[in-house]
Amino acid sequence: MRQSPTSKPDPALLDAIPEIPRNKRLRGKEAEEFWARAVKAYDGGHPIRAICERSARSYGVVHRNLVVRDVVLRSPGGYRGNGNAKKQASSGGPRHPGTHERGKAG
């Protein structure tokens, strides 16, 4: 179940994730239950960093396990609107310094 972009994530989803002691490896059924809860929390709108803080797992471990479980990751920074905001006017100059033609006298 995905959250709508404007609603807040359910804190109960994050509370369901247990804190794992540092350097403890998860195996078998324990690991599957943990990652099922982490996937549910992420799909419910919680960021990866919140799952990391709650579980004491690193960002890399959480990110990798979400990817392995075929979770579609959100773009960084969260919801930023519908894209209909006015764009800034360009100054007309080169977009990237050093990409204009060199050596021509003006």
Side-chain angles (χ1 to χ4, degrees), residues 11-22 34 37-38 41 46-59 62:
L13 293 174
L14 200 58
D15 291 340
I17 298 174
E19 183 176 345
I20 308 298
R22 198 169 175 186
F34 174 81
R37 290 177 182 181
H46 290 283
I48 293 175
R49 296 231 183 258
I51 296 168
C52 296
E53 290 174 15
R54 174 70 184 164
S55 65
R57 302 284 95 176
S58 71
Y59 184 92
V62 173

